[in-house]
Amino acid sequence: MTHYKNNKNFRVAVCFAVFLTMLLPAQSWAHAILVRSQPAKEVEITESPKQVDVWFDDKVGSEFMALAVIDSTGKRVDNKDVAQETFNPAHLYCTVQPLPPGVYTVRYRVVSIDSHIVTGKFQFTIKAP
């Protein structure tokens, strides 16, 4: 009876299989995470941005994406023109008209690469100069 532990060919095959699995690209099944925004989360600025940008840690699907900027009264103040950067599918943006001083909430919804819907929000403040 042959023992696999002592079989040199078996050990080489196992090492080769482990090596091959290390070469394969790892598939990520994590939800997309917001990693950066412009304006930044909780920042106080003195000038209205021309657009609001959000970046995620991985590309997101172009279907069902949403990005909205809402003022302190609950009114939507973006131009409802959310877009995804062509060469960086982890980057979404929308434009805004000049905004007066106040607190603004950015809400987003995207579909992760693992097909889960991810939603979130953050605020920024425009102070009078």
Side-chain angles (χ1 to χ4, degrees):
M1 181 179 214
T2 305
H3 293 286
Y4 289 114
K5 288 190 220 175
N6 296 331
N7 188 333
K8 183 178 179 182
N9 289 337
F10 178 76
R11 287 184 290 178
V12 169
V14 168
C15 288
F16 185 68
V18 169
F19 176 74
L20 282 179
T21 57
M22 289 173 33
L23 289 179
L24 296 174
Q27 194 165 19
S28 172
W29 293 103
H31 302 320
I33 297 170
L34 181 72
V35 292
R36 185 169 59 127
S37 66
Q38 183 62 35
K41 178 181 176 181
E42 308 302 329
V43 73
E44 291 185 359
I45 55 179
T46 57
E47 191 175 310
S48 175
K50 290 182 175 38
Q51 75 179 33
V52 173
D53 299 85
V54 293
W55 289 268
F56 297 90
D57 65 342
D58 205 351
K59 63 184 175 181
V60 295
S62 58
E63 61 282 343
F64 311 117
M65 67 181 176
L67 185 61
V69 182
I70 302 160
D71 70 12
S72 58
T73 67
K75 180 182 172 198
R76 189 166 176 183
V77 295
D78 62 280
N79 293 321
K80 299 180 183 176
D81 60 350
V82 62
Q84 186 174 32
E85 186 180 327
T86 304
F87 298 108
N88 181 3
H91 176 207
L92 302 181
Y93 58 92
C94 67
T95 61
V96 294
Q97 296 298 319
L99 302 173
V103 177
Y104 295 89
T105 301
V106 177
R107 293 182 170 269
Y108 59 87
R109 181 187 68 223
V110 296
V111 178
S112 287
I113 196 165
D114 67 354
S115 76
H116 286 91
I117 294 175
V118 176
T119 61
K121 65 182 180 177
F122 63 91
Q123 292 184 326
F124 67 92
T125 302
I126 301 176
K127 295 270 190 183

